[in-house]
């Protein structure tokens, strides 16, 4: 792998939005429709409420991920928009982004990370489980949909 740099950016930054659009297109291919209809406000990814990160491989944006606060305890973060472009997959980008997202949430006082994905994302589920994520009760926008996978872990 070349040089990987992870930078914090605004969720509505054009580079971030290009990656988010690619992530939604990928989800749309897997599940149909627009990919993910979960309401997202860019302000949710502004510190201290959250953070959004973009991974650059040899200077090119190739992946992203972020967290936003969940609930009212100030201790739980929800992982959102984890994605790596197909050309950069299987090179450790997602592992590095996930570790950086978790570290950012931990530094902001969060002690637990939760996420929601679907059963047509086996590579994502394998990544999360390799980090110690375990099944939790369904909680998000898709909690009542068939095939939803909800995971969480203490940071």
């Amino acid at each position: 792998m070349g040089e990987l740099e992870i930078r914090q950016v605004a969720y509505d930054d054009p580079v971030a939005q290009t990656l988010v659009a690619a992530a939604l297109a990928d989800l749309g291919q897997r599940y149909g429709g627009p990919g993910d209809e979960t309401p997202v406000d860019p302000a949710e990814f502004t510190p201290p409420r959250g953070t959004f990160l973009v991974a650059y491989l040899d200077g090119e944006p190739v992946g992203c991920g972020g967290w936003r606060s969940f609930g009212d305890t100030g201790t739980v973060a929800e992982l959102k928009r984890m994605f790596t472009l197909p050309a950069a997959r299987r090179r450790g980008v997602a592992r590095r982004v996930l570790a950086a997202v978790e570290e950012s949430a931990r530094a902001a006082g969060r002690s637990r990370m939760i996420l929601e994905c679907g059963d047509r994302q086996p590579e994502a589920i394998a990544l999360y489980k390799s980090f110690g994520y375990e099944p939790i009760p369904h909680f998000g926008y898709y909690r009542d949909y068939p095939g939803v996978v909800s995971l969480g872990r203490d940071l």
Side-chain angles (χ1 to χ4, degrees):
M1 179 164 70
E3 183 179 340
L4 184 70
E5 179 185 4
I6 299 175
R7 300 180 203 160
Q8 181 179 324
V9 301
Y11 184 84
D12 55 4
D13 177 273
V15 171
Q17 284 301 291
T18 297
L19 289 165
V20 167
L24 294 176
D26 181 78
L27 292 171
Q29 287 178 341
R30 293 172 193 253
Y31 300 102
D36 184 356
E37 297 182 56
T38 305
V40 172
D41 178 350
E44 295 173 321
F45 297 91
T46 302
R49 295 176 58 199
T51 299
F52 200 76
L53 304 174
V54 170
Y56 292 81
L57 183 58
D58 296 327
E60 294 297 318
V62 297
C64 61
W67 66 271
R68 64 183 181 179
S69 297
F70 182 86
D72 55 9
T73 65
T75 62
V76 180
E78 180 186 11
L79 181 69
K80 293 299 294 176
R81 302 297 185 248
M82 274 290 298
F83 179 72
T84 303
L85 290 172
R89 290 181 183 160
R90 306 210 52 83
R91 298 173 75 182
V93 173
R95 294 190 75 74
R96 295 268 307 274
V97 171
L98 182 55
V101 168
E102 287 184 344
E103 179 54 37
S104 169
R106 194 178 300 111
R110 303 316 185 268
S111 58
R112 184 152 180 82
M113 183 77 72
I114 61 173
L115 66 94
E116 173 182 72
C117 66
D119 60 3
R120 295 183 190 171
Q121 297 166 264
E123 66 283 1
I125 294 166
L127 170 70
Y128 301 138
K129 288 187 174 183
S130 78
F131 269 67
Y133 286 81
E134 298 180 339
I136 61 171
H138 299 314
F139 66 90
Y141 183 86
Y142 292 101
R143 69 182 158 268
D144 296 324
Y145 281 66
V148 70
V149 176
S150 301
L151 303 170
R153 87 175 194 103
D154 292 336
L155 298 176

